[in-house]
Amino acid sequence: MEAIEVRYGVSCRMPDGVRLAADIYTPPGEGPYPVLLMRQPYGRDIASTVVYAQPSWYCRRGFIVVIQDVRGRGDSEGVFNAFHNEAGDGRQTVEWAAQLEKANGCVGMYGFSYQASTQLLAASTRPPALKAIAPHMTAFDLYSGWFYRGGILQQQGTLGWGNQMLREDARRQEAWDLYERLEASFASPGSLLGQFPIREVSPLTDPGNAPYVREWLHHDQPDAYWEAFNMLHRTAELAEIPSFHLTGWYDFYTRGSMDGYRAMVSRVPARQKLVAGPWTHIPWGTRVAGRDLGEAARYPVDELLADWMRHWCRGDRPASAFPGPPVSYFSMGDLAWHEAGTWPPEGVVGRTFFLGSRGNANSIFGDGRLREEEPGEGTIADRFVYDPEVPVPGPGVQAGSYAWGPVDLYPGQQGNNLLVYRTEPFPGRRFFAGQPRCRLHVHSSAGHTAFVVRLSVRRGSRSEFLSLGAAQLYPENLTEDGSAELMIPLDDTAFSVGQGEALLLDVCSSAYPLLARHPNTSQPINAVPGPEAFARATQVVLHDAGHLSALYLEEVVDAA
């Protein structure tokens, strides 16, 4: 086989004179070939091969592959400022790549996480040569889909990733004192989580650091800062570019990916493809948070990506839709892939499971119930105390890690600081797919507080975690009777419940350190000076005939 050609450190000059470095993999032969472009901040030699095939793999399948260090990273000149330069730099790079020797003038972009954001921001400028994108595991709206959930900081992920990026900045600047502090906090993430106020966490906000982490922490509302990056509001610019979306049910950015997919498919459904697997952010394999899902959990992402780009980047852009099913998704429970023409799948029927109890739904040993019939006269409101100093941990924490995946929630369901509602064991298999929602009628002894809901399936002795949602309560939410209605969206998921298994819905007020702790006061969460500013709150969940609290699911009634 004739060898491919690899050129390292090739410069692409931006309009302001900054030069960005790229490695270019070129197939043998005359071509012309489409260009597959990745722009990323972690070192172009890595090329996201933690989840994708090596660039040479794609090159041997007929693509010129370009892996570029974004501004201020690797061998590229300039200063890195997360997200800020990726629209302009991306557009310029796309047009440059389209003119490479042997190129056919068509560019497709690929990559996950930040590398997916570089695609969306570049695509928003409508570069003529950009014919397809593959924004995998990212957020179209950075505020609601990446950094904040229900207005609450995703503390663990934001601080950890910010630390990682700032550490590289300090190394590049040879600011060794700052680098050593960032290296120490990166090696010990718990040192960041216990600091107050969050918006001044050291060393991330220390003098000498780039401003972007400080900006994320100070802009705790969806203001103009975030709107500059909000691709959900710019789908008109993106819609004509075919998009291959990929997410994992246990990715931190699931809702960001799915919100983007829904927005795009509502405009041009024939140019969208969705793959939703059982994965966390990294890797996309068969073992997730210690759970072995079997070989069925694998998916030929590289092959599908190559086919997608080959279809749309031929040079004579086809009018036909990409062949095959528009949606492929993995179901927890039966551990199998399914195909559909839409998301949620065709044939779904909305199901309502009403919350009810005799006033003692506290813990998995309580009397909380989920029923498809409205609660009767005997239902009594449930109460629990939320103490920010003793928060309900996020999924996986009590297992000794910050795992996000199909972990067992049972160890954390035994305390009285949360409510657990469960169905009776199902007499036969049922199959659900879509975005769960939870309506809670609540009131609280605190004017400002938060509520968190978690969905799981009781399989044997395990409570297998599926999805989570969060919302804040404000005084303006209250009605005349002092209660408030919260509609809480959970992350999309797909799962089956087998004979003898049951659905469980937990209601609490925290998921620490996944989410920052609400102080139960009006003070912004990121500005709380310390634990001395925390207040306890008595939380009440109502589920009588006048306050129908419920879990809403979408059931696939004709599932094979």
Side-chain angles (χ1 to χ4, degrees):
M1 179 180 295
E2 190 175 354
I4 63 175
E5 177 190 7
V6 184
R7 291 182 291 156
Y8 298 102
V10 180
S11 290
C12 172
R13 185 167 182 166
M14 299 295 105
D16 62 357
V18 169
R19 293 183 178 275
L20 307 185
D23 295 340
I24 302 175
Y25 300 73
T26 305
E30 296 182 1
Y33 304 106
V35 177
L36 197 53
L37 169 65
M38 177 190 291
R39 306 189 62 250
Q40 56 86 52
Y42 302 111
R44 64 185 188 277
D45 53 336
I46 297 175
S48 293
T49 51
V50 66
V51 292
Y52 297 110
Q54 292 283 338
S56 56
W57 186 93
Y58 295 105
C59 187
R60 292 190 181 96
R61 281 150 183 83
F63 295 94
I64 298 172
V65 184
V66 178
I67 311 295
Q68 184 186 66
D69 292 324
V70 300
R71 181 182 293 246
R73 291 296 187 178
D75 294 322
S76 289
E77 298 173 350
V79 177
F80 179 73
N81 190 3
F83 305 107
H84 284 269
N85 296 303
E86 308 308 353
D89 288 356
R91 178 186 175 92
Q92 186 71 17
T93 300
V94 166
E95 296 306 312
W96 166 78
Q99 300 173 37
L100 291 172
E101 183 181 358
K102 296 187 181 182
N104 71 352
C106 298
V107 177
M109 295 184 73
Y110 80 111
F112 83 121
S113 198
Y114 192 90
Q115 297 83 278
S117 286
T118 67
Q119 298 174 56
L120 297 175
L121 290 163
S124 71
T125 69
R126 300 185 181 183
L130 185 59
K131 305 302 182 183
I133 58 176
H136 294 169
M137 289 193 173
T138 192
F140 278 59
D141 176 7
L142 295 178
Y143 177 80
S144 68
W146 188 308
F147 291 96
Y148 290 83
R149 180 190 288 267
I152 304 171
L153 178 71
Q154 295 211 141
Q155 185 177 5
Q156 171 196 338
T158 297
L159 299 186
W161 184 60
N163 196 150
Q164 177 185 0
M165 306 309 282
L166 291 173
R167 182 182 62 163
E168 175 59 21
D169 290 341
R171 186 202 64 78
R172 182 183 175 93
Q173 297 163 9
E174 298 184 352
W176 298 119
D177 289 345
L178 179 58
Y179 175 83
E180 288 177 5
R181 295 200 301 276
L182 290 163
E183 176 68 21
S185 58
F186 187 70
S188 180
S191 66
L192 301 175
L193 296 171
Q195 292 189 45
F196 295 91
I198 294 173
R199 62 173 52 167
E200 296 177 14
V201 60
S202 178
L204 307 191
T205 62
D206 289 2
N209 279 313
Y212 50 84
V213 174
R214 190 178 304 111
E215 292 168 353
W216 302 339
L217 301 178
H218 279 260
H219 291 275
D220 56 1
Q221 300 296 318
D223 55 16
Y225 173 84
W226 296 109
E227 188 60 27
F229 309 116
N230 191 345
M231 295 297 107
L232 284 181
H233 294 168
R234 301 178 69 177
T235 52
E237 292 97 314
L238 303 175
E240 292 303 311
I241 302 176
S243 301
F244 167 20
H245 309 259
L246 181 144
T247 191
W249 297 143
Y250 300 104
D251 182 33
F252 293 117
Y253 313 133
T254 301
R255 68 193 181 285
S257 292
M258 296 303 295
D259 286 348
Y261 168 75
R262 276 186 279 266
M264 294 285 280
V265 82
S266 68
R267 288 186 174 271
V268 188
R271 293 179 179 171
Q272 312 301 318
K273 169 69 180 179
L274 171 66
V275 172
W279 312 302
T280 56
H281 201 55
I282 303 171
W284 306 343
T286 63
R287 186 172 291 274
V288 182
R291 172 86 188 281
D292 188 354
L293 303 180
E295 285 301 307
R298 299 186 64 186
Y299 193 87
V301 173
D302 294 304
E303 290 82 356
L304 180 59
L305 177 60
D307 290 343
W308 176 263
M309 293 301 178
R310 194 176 294 113
H311 180 82
W312 296 107
C313 299
R314 295 188 316 204
D316 55 338
R317 183 172 180 171
S320 61
F322 183 71
V327 177
S328 300
Y329 65 97
F330 189 87
S331 171
M332 304 302 294
D334 57 341
L335 304 182
W337 286 95
H338 303 267
E339 297 179 342
T342 63
W343 181 262
E346 305 91 337
V348 296
V349 175
R351 301 299 190 197
T352 302
F353 294 83
F354 296 97
L355 281 64
S357 79
R358 297 291 182 179
N360 186 31
N362 303 82
S363 87
I364 199 168
F365 308 117
D367 63 7
R369 293 293 179 261
L370 285 175
R371 291 190 174 97
E372 293 187 76
E373 303 81 25
E374 293 187 11
E377 294 294 329
T379 188
I380 302 173
D382 291 301
R383 289 171 170 80
F384 68 94
V385 174
Y386 164 47
D387 183 352
E389 291 201 71
V390 190
V392 172
V397 173
Q398 288 195 332
S401 72
Y402 298 142
W404 182 247
V407 295
D408 183 8
L409 295 184
Y410 181 74
Q413 291 173 325
Q414 301 183 59
N416 288 329
N417 57 348
L418 82 168
L419 309 176
V420 181
Y421 299 90
R422 64 190 298 169
T423 65
E424 294 296 327
F426 287 174
R429 177 179 177 272
R430 296 180 68 175
F431 182 32
F432 302 90
Q435 183 177 30
R437 294 173 298 129
C438 183
R439 180 175 64 190
L440 293 182
H441 289 272
V442 301
H443 64 76
S444 172
S445 62
H448 298 76
T449 189
F451 284 85
V452 175
V453 293
R454 309 185 303 189
L455 181 64
S456 61
V457 174
R458 187 70 176 169
R459 307 188 197 278
S461 63
R462 289 172 47 87
S463 299
E464 184 178 286
F465 171 65
L466 292 169
S467 185
L468 178 146
Q472 295 187 68
L473 175 66
Y474 301 96
E476 53 265 34
N477 299 141
L478 300 178
T479 60
E480 291 184 0
D481 68 359
S483 68
E485 178 182 314
L486 300 178
M487 184 63 78
I488 306 176
L490 287 75
D491 291 343
D492 288 74
T493 185
F495 61 94
S496 66
V497 185
Q499 181 179 4
E501 298 176 342
L503 278 174
L504 285 76
L505 180 74
D506 302 349
V507 179
C508 54
S509 288
S510 56
Y512 181 75
L514 174 71
L515 302 178
R517 292 169 285 180
H518 198 292
N520 293 323
T521 71
S522 62
Q523 191 160 31
I525 296 172
N526 295 355
V528 173
E532 70 278 4
F534 287 154
R536 296 190 186 100
T538 298
Q539 316 288 55
V540 182
V541 175
L542 306 168
H543 37 65
D544 56 77
H547 303 86
L548 293 176
S549 295
L551 169 69
Y552 300 96
L553 298 175
E554 293 167 300
E555 182 173 9
V556 185
V557 295
D558 59 352

